[in-house]
Amino acid sequence: MFLVFPDSTAIAAHLSARLQDIIRQDPQATLGLATGGTMEPIYARFVQDVRANGLDVSKINSFNLDEYVGLSGQHEQSYAHYMQQHLFSQLPFEAAHLHLPNGLTTELEQHCQEYSAAIAACGGVALQLLGVGTNGHIGFNEPGTPFDSGTHVVALSERTRIDNSRFFDSMDEVPASAITMGIADILSAREIALVVTGEHKARTMLNYQEGGVTPELPFTALKQHANAHILLDEAAASLLDPSLCHRPLISQAA
Ligand code: GLP
């Protein structure tokens, strides 16, 4: 079942409310965070709501999905920089609780193992936010990634590098590889919210609906998760079977 909202603003309000519920229930909850344009309205709404509601976020833990190899956290296109800009600098988080893969580590293999272990040591992810690439990648798990993968280094596909080149001055500057949480890490979350917005993702979603469960479309791994929700705007849902689309009643409450 697909949850279809009028627009990205409505999805942001819904997920901000869900994130706040989780934090109210467990102030030390571990959140799985994502980057990309899809997440920007969600973080903006969450920041606004947390401030308005005076919610304490100082004890939560977070793990980001991925980071480019070779970019420092100061680089404007690093995901560390993105997270600082859109979320971490906006609310009184405890910096030591906020985790991203380190794109500059020289001990890549060891770092990846430690990253997966650290997620487990924090009690696992309560809610994993996810976007999707047009080729169906989640995090940076490109087509062909085994579903039992932990955090690992990936060579980025040409499709992904082209999609992400809009953020860089030239194609040459788009990193060739990244560190990503694996599909097994993602599936270990107790709840997953995959957010898909925009007409350019409509065909990606049709592939999800029509495909089985296949590593060639990494996001189809979510079909094996008991508590994964797919939230779409009308544009991204435009090619889906209407009988599979549920339109939740929209509440303005945060
Ligand atoms: C990148 C990230 C993914 C993200 C995807 C889609 O490749 N590694 O985690 O889901 O972009 O980004 P956008 O939301 O900008 O479409």
Side-chain angles (χ1 to χ4, degrees), residues 21 31 33 48 55 58 60 64 99 109 115 158 168 199 204 232 242:
D21 277 349
L31 303 176
L33 301 178
Q48 180 190 322
L55 188 68
S58 66
I60 66 163
N64 263 79
H99 305 86
E109 197 60 36
Y115 200 75
E158 199 58 13
F168 293 83
E199 201 183 344
T204 307
L232 309 102

Side-chain angles (χ1 to χ4, degrees), residues 27-201:
Q28 300 184 45
T30 298
L31 303 176
L33 301 178
T35 52
T38 311
M39 294 297 138
E40 290 180 21
I42 297 165
Y43 295 141
R45 178 64 191 252
F46 178 70
V47 167
Q48 180 190 322
D49 290 345
V50 166
R51 285 183 185 149
N53 297 332
L55 188 68
D56 178 12
V57 295
S58 66
K59 296 186 187 63
I60 66 163
N61 300 290
S62 73
F63 286 86
N64 263 79
L65 281 168
D66 46 15
E67 179 60 285
Y68 290 113
V69 168
L71 298 193
S72 81
Q74 273 70 50
H75 191 290
E76 284 200 0
Q77 296 311 331
S78 72
Y79 289 160
H81 186 273
Y82 171 106
M83 291 308 299
Q84 279 299 329
Q85 182 184 356
H86 294 287
L87 186 61
F88 296 162
S89 67
Q90 304 295 318
L91 294 170
F93 293 105
E94 177 61 50
H97 296 174
L98 310 173
H99 305 86
L100 280 112
N102 176 3
L104 290 184
T105 185
T106 51
E107 304 292 337
L108 279 167
E109 197 60 36
Q110 186 186 340
H111 180 63
C112 289
Q113 284 178 18
E114 287 173 359
Y115 200 75
S116 285
I119 297 169
C122 275
V125 167
L127 172 61
Q128 175 68 56
L129 296 179
L130 273 188
V132 64
T134 54
N135 64 0
H137 75 233
I138 46 178
F140 269 132
N141 292 283
E142 296 283 23
T145 308
F147 286 174
D148 61 359
S149 54
T151 303
H152 61 287
V153 178
V154 280
L156 299 180
S157 74
E158 199 58 13
R159 176 73 262 155
T160 298
R161 293 187 72 236
I162 292 167
D163 282 354
N164 291 358
S165 64
R166 65 190 191 277
F167 299 115
F168 293 83
D169 290 337
S170 72
M171 250 319 259
D172 292 346
E173 290 184 25
V174 184
S177 59
I179 302 170
T180 184
M181 270 165 63
I183 295 180
D185 295 316
I186 292 169
L187 293 180
S188 72
R190 291 188 283 285
E191 179 178 340
I192 299 175
L194 172 69
V195 185
V196 193
T197 55
E199 201 183 344
H200 64 299
K201 301 260 178 89

